[in-house]
Amino acid sequence: MDFARLTEALASKSYEKIADICDDLMLQAAAEGIAYQDEWPYAIHFLGYLYVDDINSARYLWKAIPSTIKENRPELVAVWKIGQKLWIRDHGGVYEAIHEFDWCQEVQGLLAAFSDLYRRRMFQLLLSAYSTISIHDTAQFLGMNEEEAKVYVTQQGWIVDVASQMFTVKKQEIVTEQKLDSSKLQRLTEYVFHLEH
């Protein structure tokens, strides 16, 4: 099986393409009747789904993997553990699952990028859902210790209240749409009328 496209995507850090490339290669192998299961990069395929936030496809892939392969690839089982934590929304558990396994070189870059992306997603979630949140909960969501979380969010403008152990969330400014004045609307109407006739 030719994994050149996959190797190229990993080398260029085009991680958002990994799941689609793997899906295409898997379909191609199935259409050509090629036995691919023993050499298939399941861990990378699975992480590709997690990177694009497609938990359902990751679950279906896990179900399709033969049990003999699951039993013989501890790294694949470790990736599955990350998926399980995502599924049950155990945010702190996601980071724990990432850090408790000694990943192979091939997976490390993709996993580091996923971890960073997941942290940014969690930060955006906190930003949109909270006006105040405890330091402890923030650290859990971001996969950091409390001191790291303080540094991270205060750099984003959040305010820390040491006495209450709470953050005040700094909301991002909402960009409002500019309204058209009547003269612009009139010109636009005339232009459209001219195009139609």
Side-chain angles (χ1 to χ4, degrees):
M1 182 116 225
D2 183 13
F3 292 111
R5 282 179 53 212
L6 180 59
T7 304
E8 183 180 311
L10 288 167
S12 65
K13 299 182 179 185
S14 300
Y15 301 127
E16 70 284 352
K17 297 178 181 177
I18 299 294
D20 287 340
I21 290 170
C22 288
D23 287 346
D24 291 345
L25 289 171
M26 191 178 269
L27 286 172
Q28 178 186 349
E32 295 173 5
I34 298 172
Y36 61 87
Q37 292 181 330
D38 290 338
E39 63 182 274
W40 192 257
Y42 287 109
I44 290 173
H45 194 169
F46 198 91
L47 281 170
Y49 284 132
L50 298 185
Y51 190 85
V52 295
D53 202 18
D54 188 353
I55 305 295
N56 287 327
S57 293
R59 286 181 55 229
Y60 291 124
L61 176 63
W62 177 257
K63 289 179 181 181
I65 299 171
S67 59
T68 55
I69 291 175
K70 292 176 188 175
E71 294 165 4
N72 294 318
R73 296 196 190 173
E75 190 167 65
L76 177 59
V77 174
V79 171
W80 170 239
K81 188 172 181 181
I82 295 169
Q84 289 174 308
K85 298 297 182 180
L86 287 167
W87 184 255
I88 62 171
R89 292 181 175 87
D90 178 0
H91 307 293
V94 170
Y95 300 107
E96 289 171 12
I98 289 170
H99 296 297
E100 69 185 16
F101 192 82
D102 186 22
W103 304 96
C104 75
Q105 186 71 25
E106 192 176 33
V107 170
Q108 286 177 0
L110 174 55
L111 195 60
F114 166 74
S115 181
D116 182 55
L117 179 63
Y118 185 69
R119 180 170 286 124
R120 285 186 276 137
R121 287 176 186 159
M122 290 302 98
F123 181 76
Q124 289 302 315
L125 175 71
L126 296 177
L127 199 58
S128 64
Y130 292 92
S131 57
T132 59
I133 184 171
S134 74
I135 294 172
H136 173 77
D137 288 348
T138 303
Q140 285 289 106
F141 273 99
L142 299 178
M144 301 174 168
N145 65 42
E146 291 184 7
E147 287 307 311
E148 292 169 330
K150 283 180 192 176
V151 170
Y152 186 84
V153 300
T154 54
Q155 289 175 344
Q156 307 299 320
W158 292 20
I159 300 167
V160 61
D161 180 354
V162 178
S164 66
Q165 292 292 294
M166 298 290 286
F167 287 118
T168 300
V169 177
K170 180 184 177 193
K171 299 290 184 183
Q172 293 178 336
E173 293 182 26
I174 299 171
V175 179
T176 57
E177 287 186 35
Q178 200 176 29
K179 301 213 181 218
L180 288 176
D181 64 42
S182 60
S183 66
K184 289 181 182 176
L185 187 57
Q186 178 64 34
R187 284 194 309 253
L188 179 62
T189 304
E190 290 171 3
Y191 179 74
V192 172
F193 180 78
H194 176 72
L195 289 176
E196 290 179 347
H197 294 49

